[in-house]
Amino acid sequence: MAIISKYAVALLACSVFASTHGFAPATPSQLALSNKSASATTSTQLYIIGPMIRKMREEKEAKNMPMANPDEAKVEAPGLRVGVNAWKWPPVWPYDSNFFKRKSEMTGKDNANPMMNMMNPMEALEKKDVADVDENLFNSLKWWEENKEVTTDLDERVVAKISSHYSFYLRDGMSVLELGAAENSYLPEGLKLNKHVGVGAVKSQMEANPSITESFVVDLNDVVEDEGVKSEELADLGRDTFDAVIMANTIDFLINPREVFKSSWRALKPGGIMIVPFLAKDAYAEKFDEAFTKQWRDMTDDQHMWVGGSFFQFSAGEGWEGLKGFDISPEGAKQLGAEESVLDKLKQTDKDLPPGAYVVQARKNFEAEEVDESDLEGYIKSKMWMLPTLEDRDKKLVVPRLARAYEALDTQEEKERMLGHFDSLPKIYASLIKMDQFAFTFSMQAQLAADLVGDPDFTGSDIQINNMKMGLGLRKPSADFWAPVGKLTAAMQPEEKVNLLAYIVPRFGSDDPTQQEALSAFVSGLEPTFEVIRSKCPNMKESDVQLVGSELLASEVLVPGRSNREEFALWLGSLTDVDLEFILAKRNSFKEDATKELEAFQKERADEEQAITDRRTQIQEQVAYARENRTTIFNPRTGKIEQVEPPKKGILGTGIELPFGN
């Protein structure tokens, strides 16, 4: 029996090898032995290959398992695969420039796996990739114009699926912007749009499209970093203009997708939808391989869906809502997921199978127009959706601090001035991302940014930003102010200097001569202030002396009209050691509150991640239960994978009952 088993394994291996190398599969007669042992061989073969293929299939099904709850599926188009709560993102934009290069632009060192090119978040903060300008730089418009006679020519079964998906969300009378437009938009038959603007690379192709009412040529890969597509025609279409943006079979050619999605967000009306269909990576690879980006060539279709979803997330964050992913592949199409396996090769007998088809989509969220005192954070979040430079992590950290800073202001005039300073946040963070994130944490960065914006005198002027950089050590400090301040406060901890910077920086850039006098009084008053505190509290740590002294001096002397240097000296001299210790304790309580807030934020994120994990586990358990009584085996008589009833207690007490006889 052992000899027969080995023979069966060898025979099976030869059959699999032949199928994977393009040879015809072995017939049942070739698989059978000529004597009585044929039955035993077949039975043993099934016993060996059945569990193996079943395991392969289960692993593949688990990977391709929908991650959306049934309630979501009821109100969406067929094929929902990734629901709104299943997505999970890194805290910052994770891709480097190699991720979006074309084949002609690649060098030897660039040809690593694209997943290896996904940057460490810390590296992403410090690195700004700039495409090398050389003769290999791919010219998108020129390439498409030279290849304008090459059309996509989608399989009619795929066209029907895309059209059907559109029909679920597009209605008569809508205005639609199509990015990457060409000769066919795959719209539902009979749909009557009020307006259909095509934006593409080849004018003649768009003119051949009967649905398009207006078109113009735009290079979607020509962008203004962090802003959007560089196109006056696209900008002239206006903001909040379209009910829908569609972009079929275009995401695979974008080298600056974040900017394209930003422009789409601006063009959409609040509540409008952006629908992005794409095909399997090998659907038309022979035609357009030169124009594909590296991530499209090297990643799987499953990964493409998640990368496509990330373009929504990293373009406007919560400015998009209802992000979902769909598998709309025609029946018989190659399954979404990993590279072709032995199981795929055994199953594929028809070489004319349609390619897989998929969709990622989301709606534009409604931006708050007026301040809602009961939901300040919600209002502030909506004002930050499209701010450049800030990562999603930074927004989550700075929003609650901005809300508290707003509430702390005394007058409505000050509050309105603060709201007008939100556009200075990108300038602040453009400098903060250069800081050492271990010494100057993200939480500290958020606190400094919120404190600066929360000061009515802070405008984000070049003078103020320059002084912030000097205070942070990002620029050579001025000899008359920042150099002595830095030297005299050297013992203070970095987090303690955040508050001091927030006091000082907004005082610069004023045309008021009394403000300049106040700055001079501050820097010249530091050392005498510290001496008084040391004499009153000889046991106080030097870092605490500098903390209490600098903040007391800043709060009284830096703002004109409060106290001059002489008045401050008299007041400080009247304080006792008990008074100074109390002030220090009060100051430290703020630090404790900040620590608790950070811990609460981290716990909230951990809870969200655990909830996602729990949902996935629940779905996996449901799927496992549903197929508990199923099995899959390879039938050598038919040459196919077949499902059979679950095994029963049977032959020789082994629990194995073979479904095929002699």
Side-chain angles (χ1 to χ4, degrees):
M1 184 65 181
I3 296 175
I4 295 176
S5 297
K6 291 179 180 178
Y7 176 79
V9 173
L11 186 59
L12 174 65
C14 292
S15 175
V16 172
F17 178 83
S19 67
T20 59
H21 288 74
F23 302 119
T27 64
S29 60
Q30 291 172 323
L31 289 172
L33 297 178
S34 59
N35 54 25
K36 188 176 180 180
S37 64
S39 174
T41 302
T42 301
S43 298
T44 305
Q45 177 182 334
L46 292 172
Y47 174 73
I48 293 171
I49 189 62
M52 181 184 75
I53 294 182
R54 176 183 180 181
K55 182 178 180 182
M56 291 168 61
R57 179 164 184 169
E58 287 178 349
E59 289 176 349
K60 187 168 185 177
E61 288 179 350
K63 182 173 183 179
N64 297 328
M65 177 180 56
M67 287 173 282
N69 65 56
D71 291 335
E72 285 182 289
K74 289 178 183 178
V75 296
E76 299 293 345
L80 180 63
R81 183 167 183 269
V82 184
V84 294
N85 294 316
W87 307 94
K88 187 176 180 181
W89 315 113
V92 297
W93 178 249
Y95 314 115
D96 73 5
S97 62
N98 289 337
F99 203 69
F100 301 106
K101 284 185 177 179
R102 277 68 63 97
K103 185 177 292 185
S104 62
E105 298 169 321
M106 303 299 293
T107 62
K109 65 179 181 180
D110 295 331
N111 281 311
N113 185 299
M115 297 305 290
M116 298 301 295
N117 283 335
M118 296 183 72
M119 299 174 65
N120 180 290
M122 300 301 295
E123 295 172 347
L125 289 171
E126 300 171 354
K127 181 176 180 180
K128 284 284 185 180
D129 289 294
V130 179
D132 294 331
V133 180
D134 57 30
E135 66 276 8
N136 293 326
L137 193 63
F138 189 87
N139 188 319
S140 296
L141 288 185
K142 180 181 178 182
W143 191 90
W144 287 107
E145 180 62 31
E146 290 176 349
N147 292 273
K148 62 184 177 182
E149 302 303 324
V150 181
T151 55
T152 305
D153 298 327
L154 298 187
D155 184 291
E156 62 181 12
R157 292 163 290 186
V158 173
V159 172
K161 285 291 186 177
I162 296 176
S163 177
S164 176
H165 188 85
Y166 281 157
S167 69
F168 201 91
Y169 301 99
L170 304 182
R171 297 289 180 268
D172 290 347
M174 280 187 168
S175 57
V176 172
L177 171 64
E178 181 175 4
L179 300 181
E183 71 281 355
N184 195 335
S185 298
Y186 318 117
L187 295 175
E189 186 176 352
L191 180 67
K192 298 178 180 179
L193 299 176
N194 180 51
K195 184 179 184 180
H196 181 184
V197 178
V199 174
V202 181
K203 187 69 173 177
S204 60
Q205 290 182 347
M206 291 186 285
E207 290 174 344
N209 188 323
S211 176
I212 292 177
T213 59
E214 177 185 355
S215 66
F216 46 89
V217 173
V218 170
D219 184 358
L220 294 178
N221 287 327
D222 185 12
V223 305
V224 177
E225 186 179 6
D226 262 342
E227 293 293 336
V229 178
K230 188 178 181 181
S231 166
E232 292 184 7
E233 295 94 336
L234 193 56
D236 288 343
L237 293 174
R239 182 166 177 156
D240 303 339
T241 303
F242 294 93
D243 299 294
V245 173
I246 58 177
M247 189 173 69
N249 307 322
T250 300
I251 195 174
D252 28 358
F253 307 113
L254 298 180
I255 64 172
N256 297 292
R258 183 157 51 171
E259 282 73 18
V260 174
F261 279 66
K262 282 179 180 287
S263 291
S264 300
W265 188 90
R266 291 191 183 93
L268 278 173
K269 297 175 182 177
I273 190 169
M274 183 176 184
I275 306 175
V276 184
F278 61 90
L279 301 191
K281 60 182 292 184
D282 54 358
Y284 39 71
E286 294 181 0
K287 294 183 177 182
F288 306 123
D289 187 57
E290 289 182 54
F292 285 151
T293 58
K294 179 175 175 60
Q295 65 94 4
W296 202 262
R297 294 194 310 272
D298 294 355
M299 300 181 79
T300 67
D301 297 327
D302 194 24
Q303 292 166 332
H304 288 158
M305 181 175 290
W306 292 88
V307 170
S310 77
F311 298 158
F312 283 98
Q313 167 66 20
F314 289 108
S315 59
E318 293 183 8
W320 297 106
E321 65 175 354
L323 176 61
K324 298 181 179 71
F326 296 80
D327 182 349
I328 60 170
S329 301
E331 184 177 356
K334 181 179 177 181
Q335 291 296 307
L336 180 78
E339 302 294 341
E340 192 174 31
S341 65
V342 173
L343 180 59
D344 295 319
K345 294 180 182 294
L346 287 171
K347 290 172 64 178
Q348 290 179 9
T349 56
D350 181 5
K351 297 299 182 182
D352 194 29
L353 295 178
Y358 317 102
V359 176
V360 285
Q361 65 186 47
R363 292 188 179 274
K364 180 177 180 176
N365 212 338
F366 288 82
E367 187 176 6
E369 297 181 0
E370 297 181 357
V371 178
D372 182 356
E373 298 283 353
S374 65
D375 185 21
L376 274 176
E377 291 191 21
Y379 173 82
I380 294 173
K381 281 180 182 178
S382 72
K383 295 304 177 185
M384 300 178 70
W385 287 339
M386 293 294 284
L387 285 182
T389 306
L390 275 75
E391 299 288 355
D392 186 58
R393 173 210 56 226
D394 301 320
K395 294 175 183 177
K396 288 181 178 178
L397 287 170
V398 79
V399 163
R401 291 171 168 82
L402 287 171
R404 288 197 297 272
Y406 179 91
E407 292 174 332
L409 295 175
D410 296 325
T411 67
Q412 189 61 34
E413 179 186 357
E414 289 178 334
K415 291 180 178 180
E416 290 177 359
R417 286 168 64 188
M418 174 188 170
L419 296 179
H421 298 162
F422 281 179
D423 59 357
S424 65
L425 281 166
K427 290 184 179 181
I428 296 172
Y429 272 94
S431 299
L432 296 183
I433 59 177
K434 300 175 184 178
M435 297 294 294
D436 181 344
Q437 284 80 37
F438 293 100
F440 199 72
T441 65
F442 299 127
S443 179
M444 291 161 56
Q445 293 179 17
Q447 189 61 57
L448 175 59
D451 287 344
L452 289 174
V453 173
D455 192 307
D457 292 331
F458 181 79
T459 61
S461 67
D462 291 342
I463 293 176
Q464 290 178 339
I465 295 298
N466 186 53
N467 275 276
M468 183 191 73
K469 291 179 179 178
M470 287 192 285
L472 292 170
L474 297 173
R475 185 163 293 180
K476 184 178 180 180
S478 57
D480 60 338
F481 188 88
W482 289 108
V485 168
K487 182 178 179 180
L488 292 169
T489 60
M492 291 173 60
Q493 296 299 314
E495 62 267 25
E496 296 167 346
K497 292 186 178 182
V498 169
N499 196 46
L500 183 59
L501 274 173
Y503 274 125
I504 299 174
V505 171
R507 311 285 82 81
F508 284 92
S510 172
D511 294 330
D512 184 358
T514 60
Q515 179 64 82
Q516 186 58 47
E517 292 175 5
L519 287 166
S520 298
F522 172 79
V523 70
S524 62
L526 280 174
E527 183 58 35
T529 298
F530 297 161
E531 287 297 336
V532 171
I533 297 175
R534 292 184 190 113
S535 66
K536 291 177 178 288
C537 305
N539 295 323
M540 185 179 288
K541 293 190 301 183
E542 180 60 22
S543 59
D544 291 338
V545 169
Q546 295 178 11
L547 170 63
V548 173
S550 61
E551 292 194 355
L552 288 178
L553 186 64
S555 63
E556 288 298 317
V557 172
L558 270 181
V559 180
R562 290 186 180 177
S563 302
N564 58 34
R565 181 175 170 178
E566 291 72 23
E567 291 170 338
F568 174 76
L570 289 173
W571 173 74
L572 182 63
S574 68
L575 297 179
T576 67
D577 59 337
V578 176
D579 295 330
L580 292 170
E581 292 286 357
F582 176 80
I583 292 172
L584 176 62
K586 188 69 175 176
R587 173 61 180 80
N588 286 337
S589 68
F590 295 144
K591 183 177 178 180
E592 293 173 1
D593 291 342
T595 300
K596 291 178 181 178
E597 178 187 313
L598 178 60
E599 291 174 350
F601 172 75
Q602 293 172 333
K603 183 179 185 302
E604 181 181 348
R605 290 195 62 178
D607 290 344
E608 290 177 359
E609 294 176 358
Q610 185 60 48
I612 293 172
T613 300
D614 291 344
R615 281 192 292 272
R616 289 176 177 171
T617 301
Q618 184 180 17
I619 294 172
Q620 289 173 345
E621 291 174 349
Q622 292 172 349
V623 172
Y625 178 80
R627 65 177 182 230
E628 182 178 355
N629 294 319
R630 275 181 12 195
T631 187
T632 306
I633 68 169
F634 176 72
N635 187 347
R637 293 186 173 183
T638 62
K640 296 181 179 180
I641 306 296
E642 297 182 2
Q643 295 180 358
V644 297
E645 292 300 320
K648 302 176 182 178
K649 292 292 181 182
I651 299 175
L652 301 177
T654 62
I656 303 296
E657 187 170 273
L658 300 177
F660 302 105
N662 294 333

